[in-house]
Amino acid sequence: MRIVVCVKFVPDIQSDRQLGPDGRVVRDGGDGTLNELDENAVEAALALAEEHDGEVVVLTVGPDDAVDAVRKGLQMGADEAVHVLDDDVAGSDAIGTARVLAAAVRHLSADAPVDLVVTGMAGLDGLTSLLPTALAEELDLPALPLASSLTVDPDARTATVTRRLDHATETLTADLPALVSVTDGLNEPRYPNFKGIMAARKKPVTTLTLAELGVDPSTVGAAGARTRVLEAAPRPPREDRVLVTDTGDAGTRLAAWLVERKLV
Amino acid sequence: MTATPVLVLLDHAADGTLRPPVRELLTLARDLAGDAEVHGVWAGGEDVAAALPVLGAQGVTTVHRLVTDADPHLSSVLADGLQAALGASGASLLLLVSSFENKEAAARLAVRTGAGVVTDADGVTLQEGQVVAHKTVLAGTWTTRCAVTAPSAVVTVKANSVAAQDAAVPSDPRVVDLPVAVAPSSTRVRVVERTEHAASGRPDLGSAHVVVVGGRGTEGDFAPVEELADVLGGAVGATRVATDEGWIGHDAQIGQTGVTVSPRLYIGAGVSGAVHHRGGMQASGTIVAVNSDPDAPIFEIADFGVVGDLFTVLPQAAAELRRLQG
């Protein structure tokens, strides 16, 4: 079974994240990392590959630093890494990114069929959650998003997931090849161990350009984006803040404050 | 763009009642439509009759009822239907309530139709004929305004972003059946099982105006959290720790990977304010925190912070509110 995991390089969520004047997330500063939720995707792929004797390819689209995201995937145990690196990708929205990733998955499929594409449920930078389903649509694959459980039956060639929505819980199944996005409730990602880190140094990272993928640069990146940030500003600090230490009447004071502020 | 109708997906429960945020979206749609009409799209086999009084009060002129054998809970089928409704209504702007299912359909629509899509907007305006979506990003720390440059726009809007108001002039909505030709590829996913979550008697967490949240500090006793929520007519939420410990169902988890909330009033009790939780609630209107640890990070973003024991502060606040409310 051949599994492609799409991962993203994002600013560390614990860091002071910023938007630039163009409204894009500032991605330099050296505190970037593999999107935490994508670690669950890599883990899911590795576990399936171990169970069903498969191989895992980690794939990313992004600037030079983004190679760190696929390197982390290799350290965790992925077999191969692909990095789509092209200046014309800069400024892509989720739909443009899906288009580039889809081209890369098709490129990989030419070597050997891809049975499963796995992604995290969202990137912790933009948090749009659009990418998984947009990618399935681009690849014309059935989508099983937001998996909190995932099983693959290699004989029947099906994947089955359970997902929890606001108002219902669903079990969905589809024939392979398929796309699955996973939540952080699915598994506990493994930490790369020393052996994995040493082995990752020897594993190849293939770099691909849009031209090699046959993607028209005008359809992706800032040129192809269908939305444009007009303005981005840090949210003003909250004013008139009250901090009290309870000396016996804090509950009463809180109630009075809520009434005074017309919040009840 | 204003000359065309604005289309709104009419999310509803299994009994045909509209989800509360739909009224907010219809109010917004009326504002954006100007002289043009507001249309709704109804997906699913439920009877639309129960929703018509609300839709009429909101001034909706036409409801496009999708007719298909396929399961509209599948995002690909819903996208087929929404695409058909965009065509039938002539709308160039579609508004949906922000939910995972709706965002899945929005992504598909964007790929299929070339529409520009913005998710989790907390406001939508028109500027020189372009749809401009307002949203809070990076865990509530930045605000942005984002213009849709494509000819059509799909925007998912968070609950509590707009104050719902009835139209000045009510309408008598026309219900039109819209047969949907479902693409063969849209039914490749099969729904093996679907279980609706039991109603709690409290408002939905995702759309409640008031949310009271319990964290590690409750040590598993949610009674004071529930009591205060009920006095305030609010929903009960929880942190990841509280759900992982099994103190409350996973449905209640608030955070970047759980439910994202932006109520008018958020009250966190025994919640430390870890970054993942903040990402799911920091856009709330007013934030109150009660925690015995004065160094808890949630105090950095709280409008009203109490360093104290939630087991005394919450019941006292609930009792005082009951007294003030008579």
Side-chain angles (χ1 to χ4, degrees), chain A residues 93 95 99 224-228, chain B residues 109-111 113-117 147-150:
Chain A
D93 56 16
I95 308 302
R99 183 180 293 247
R226 300 151 182 185
T227 58
R228 186 166 56 90
Chain B
L109 273 176
V111 173
T113 66
V117 54
V148 176
T149 51

Side-chain angles (χ1 to χ4, degrees), chain A residues 70-133:
Chain A
V70 285
R71 288 227 180 268
K72 176 83 182 286
L74 291 177
Q75 290 172 356
M76 288 174 72
D79 301 287
E80 199 187 325
V82 175
H83 178 195
V84 182
L85 176 64
D86 196 309
D87 288 346
D88 287 331
V89 166
S92 287
D93 56 16
I95 308 302
T97 306
R99 183 180 293 247
V100 177
L101 286 171
V105 172
R106 280 194 292 269
H107 182 85
L108 286 165
S109 303
D111 299 336
V114 171
D115 301 292
L116 199 62
V117 177
V118 186
T119 72
M121 63 178 282
L124 288 172
D125 48 358
L127 213 72
T128 67
S129 331
L130 290 170
L131 184 108
T133 324

Side-chain angles (χ1 to χ4, degrees), chain A residues 23-94:
Chain A
R24 296 182 200 160
V25 176
V26 176
R27 294 182 196 279
D28 51 15
D31 55 357
T33 181
L34 170 61
N35 178 39
E36 253 179 59
L37 294 170
D38 295 345
E39 293 181 14
N40 299 93
V42 175
E43 178 60 42
L46 292 172
L48 286 173
E50 284 159 6
E51 191 183 346
H52 303 298
D53 189 26
E55 61 163 351
V56 175
V57 183
V58 281
L59 164 66
T60 197
V61 177
D64 287 326
D65 287 352
V67 74
D68 289 353
V70 285
R71 288 227 180 268
K72 176 83 182 286
L74 291 177
Q75 290 172 356
M76 288 174 72
D79 301 287
E80 199 187 325
V82 175
H83 178 195
V84 182
L85 176 64
D86 196 309
D87 288 346
D88 287 331
V89 166
S92 287
D93 56 16

Side-chain angles (χ1 to χ4, degrees), chain B residues 19-212:
Chain B
R19 302 275 184 209
V22 171
R23 277 188 74 225
E24 300 169 12
L25 265 58
L26 291 170
T27 302
L28 178 62
R30 251 187 358 256
D31 199 28
L32 294 167
D35 296 336
E37 296 181 349
V38 173
H39 288 206
V41 49
W42 186 265
E46 297 82 13
D47 190 355
V48 69
L52 287 178
V54 176
L55 298 175
Q58 283 291 327
V60 173
T61 55
T62 306
V63 177
H64 302 272
R65 181 165 57 187
L66 306 180
V67 180
T68 165
D69 293 334
D71 189 335
H73 291 122
L74 296 171
S75 65
S76 45
V77 174
L78 180 57
D80 288 333
L82 293 172
Q83 196 175 350
L86 279 168
S89 64
S92 53
L93 170 60
L94 168 65
L95 300 178
L96 307 100
V97 176
S98 275
S99 68
F100 284 118
E101 302 101 297
N102 288 352
K103 286 188 248 184
E104 289 167 14
R108 290 183 182 278
L109 273 176
V111 173
R112 289 182 196 180
T113 66
V117 54
V118 181
T119 56
D120 295 324
D122 50 30
V124 185
T125 51
L126 290 171
Q127 192 174 315
E128 292 163 15
Q130 276 186 332
V131 172
V132 176
H134 308 227
K135 70 182 279 187
T136 308
V137 297
L138 298 182
T141 56
W142 284 67
T143 57
T144 64
R145 290 192 308 118
C146 187
V148 176
T149 51
S152 63
V154 176
V155 182
T156 80
V157 182
K158 293 201 296 186
N160 295 321
S161 299
V162 180
Q165 276 186 326
D166 286 347
V169 183
S171 61
D172 184 13
R174 197 161 56 102
V175 179
V176 182
D177 280 349
L178 180 62
V180 180
V182 172
S185 63
S186 291
T187 52
R188 287 179 302 179
V189 175
R190 298 179 291 281
V191 180
V192 179
E193 197 181 337
R194 187 166 202 280
T195 313
E196 293 279 332
H197 297 159
S200 67
R202 297 195 175 98
D204 273 348
L205 186 55
S207 58
H209 297 305
V210 177
V211 175
V212 186

